[in-house]
Amino acid sequence: MKITLLMCLFSLFLSFILSLISMTISKKTMLDKEKLSPFECGFNPFSSSRIPFSLRFFLISIIFLIFDVEIALLLPIPFILLTKFSIFTFSLFMIILLIGLFHEWNEGALEWAN
């Protein structure tokens, strides 16, 4: 019992000492305010939150998410193409994706520069 109590007190003391040393040695100052602030898509988080941002950035991120989900759904396809129903489902899925791709292309959302 004494050994267990001694080990608990020792670990508590050691963690306290290491925390104290860490706080003493750390070089956090007010000069590092910019480094320690969060970086949010290139916006200054300390200014107004109602600044207009580029709609192209939003479209690129949405298209990335769509194609990311598409890849996640297409990777297991070779393993499930064993029945006619799965081939039909895969074909329908690909047709829907291609229609969406052509729609984005016609809308000009895939043009990165003017």
Side-chain angles (χ1 to χ4, degrees):
M1 180 70 178
K2 285 186 176 185
I3 292 177
T4 307
L5 182 62
L6 184 65
M7 292 299 284
C8 287
L9 287 175
F10 178 72
S11 63
L12 185 66
F13 177 73
L14 184 63
S15 61
F16 176 74
I17 293 296
L18 290 176
S19 297
L20 190 65
I21 290 171
S22 172
M23 283 188 255
T24 306
I25 294 177
S26 71
K27 296 180 180 181
K28 292 182 181 176
T29 62
M30 289 304 289
L31 299 175
D32 294 334
K33 180 181 161 190
E34 287 296 321
K35 283 173 139 181
L36 297 175
S37 68
F39 182 74
E40 308 241 350
C41 303
F43 298 117
N44 185 3
F46 300 112
S47 65
S48 174
S49 62
R50 298 292 180 205
I51 299 173
F53 64 96
S54 173
L55 190 59
R56 292 224 178 259
F57 176 77
F58 177 73
L59 288 175
I60 289 171
S61 62
I62 293 297
I63 290 172
F64 170 76
L65 287 174
I66 289 171
F67 286 116
D68 192 38
V69 169
E70 173 190 345
I71 292 300
L73 292 173
L74 289 179
L75 281 177
I77 290 298
F79 299 111
I80 62 171
L81 285 179
L82 301 175
T83 64
K84 290 181 181 178
F85 180 71
S86 61
I87 293 173
F88 172 74
T89 306
F90 171 69
S91 301
L92 184 65
F93 179 70
M94 287 303 295
I95 288 170
I96 291 171
L97 284 178
L98 287 174
I99 290 171
L101 177 65
F102 289 135
H103 177 69
E104 292 290 331
W105 195 348
N106 287 335
E107 291 288 320
L110 298 178
E111 298 294 328
W112 308 125
N114 290 336

